[in-house]
């Protein structure tokens, strides 16, 4: 007995050709239109996923969570003392300036704002305590550090400081400048 006799005969209809009226070629979508379509498609997929999640987890019993059980850190952040100071004068100055910015606040547009927060250069000058040579050396190392990261287009420390809306990058640059000054023995 052959396998052909076991399976029923299947009649495949002959392919038919139909003439489809020629449609106008689709117009090119602009980038904005494509982004809008992708955004709509992704929103629909996220909505479907959210519904699927709710359906798939509805049978799992949950109890309300008390945030006091989850949050174990103090609500008021406490600043740690600065690490051991660098042994070289410029590096130590930049480290003190970094700590001053952390504890006293950072600002842009002024050396010192009305709340006592300082810009990068304002913190360096405050920590230099009138030593203009040390102040200039620290600012020079800081500018070099900034230019290494952001390019030679940076004109000055104050212009870099004022170009930022938050303290994160300026603080990081002062910290990195302290490391660079220490590596250079300054």
């Amino acid at each position: 007995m052959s396998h052909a006799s076991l399976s029923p005969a299947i009649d495949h209809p002959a392919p038919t050709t139909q003439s489809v009226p020629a449609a106008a070629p689709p117009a090119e979508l602009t980038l904005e239109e494509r982004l809008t379509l992708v955004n709509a498609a992704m929103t629909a997929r996220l909505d479907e996923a959210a519904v699927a999640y709710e359906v798939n987890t509805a049978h799992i019993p949950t109890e309300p969570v008390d945030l006091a059980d989850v949050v174990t850190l103090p609500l008021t952040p406490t600043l740690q003392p600065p690490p051991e100071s660098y042994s070289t004068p410029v590096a130590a100055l930049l480290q003190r300036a970094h700590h001053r910015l952390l504890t006293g606040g950072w600002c842009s547009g002024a050396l010192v704002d009305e709340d006592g927060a300082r810009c990068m250069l304002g913190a360096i000058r405050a920590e230099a305590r009138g030593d203009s040579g040390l102040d200039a050396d620290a600012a020079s190392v800081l500018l070099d550090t900034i230019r290494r990261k952001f390019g030679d287009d940076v004109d000055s420390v104050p212009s870099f400081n004022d170009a930022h809306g938050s303290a994160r990058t300026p603080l990081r640059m002062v910290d990195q400048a302290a490391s660079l000054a220490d590596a250079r023995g300054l």
Side-chain angles (χ1 to χ4, degrees):
M1 189 174 219
S2 73
H3 290 298
S5 63
L6 292 175
S7 61
I10 300 175
D11 280 337
H12 293 289
T16 59
T17 57
Q18 260 185 336
S19 64
V20 177
E28 281 288 319
L29 295 177
T30 65
L31 176 62
E32 192 66 35
E33 292 168 334
R34 288 185 301 191
L35 288 173
T36 301
L37 289 174
V38 168
N39 185 27
M42 291 304 296
T43 300
R45 289 179 71 184
L46 287 171
D47 289 345
E48 288 175 13
V51 170
Y53 174 80
E54 292 295 327
V55 168
N56 292 336
T57 60
H59 67 283
I60 300 172
T62 59
E63 293 187 25
V65 176
D66 184 11
L67 288 180
D69 295 336
V70 178
V71 178
T72 59
L73 299 173
L75 296 178
T76 306
T78 57
L79 292 172
Q80 301 299 319
E84 195 61 38
S85 186
Y86 288 110
S87 60
T88 58
V90 174
L93 168 61
L94 286 163
Q95 186 179 35
R96 289 192 313 270
H98 179 257
H99 186 70
R100 179 178 285 259
L101 290 171
L102 282 173
T103 58
W106 171 86
C107 72
S108 67
L111 287 174
V112 182
D113 72 3
E114 62 275 356
D115 297 327
R118 295 179 180 272
C119 72
M120 298 163 77
L121 191 58
I124 290 171
R125 287 187 178 164
E127 291 300 325
R129 296 179 183 97
D131 186 339
S132 60
L134 189 60
D135 173 347
D137 290 343
S140 176
V141 172
L142 179 55
L143 184 58
D144 187 33
T145 303
I146 292 168
R147 286 180 174 163
R148 284 176 172 217
K149 178 80 173 174
F150 295 96
D152 291 332
D153 295 341
V154 179
D155 295 331
S156 65
V157 171
S159 68
F160 177 81
N161 183 85
D162 294 347
H164 289 83
S166 75
R168 189 174 59 102
T169 302
L171 280 168
R172 188 174 71 238
M173 289 295 101
V174 174
D175 187 44
Q176 289 176 8
S179 296
L180 179 62
D182 186 57
R184 290 180 176 173
L186 299 174

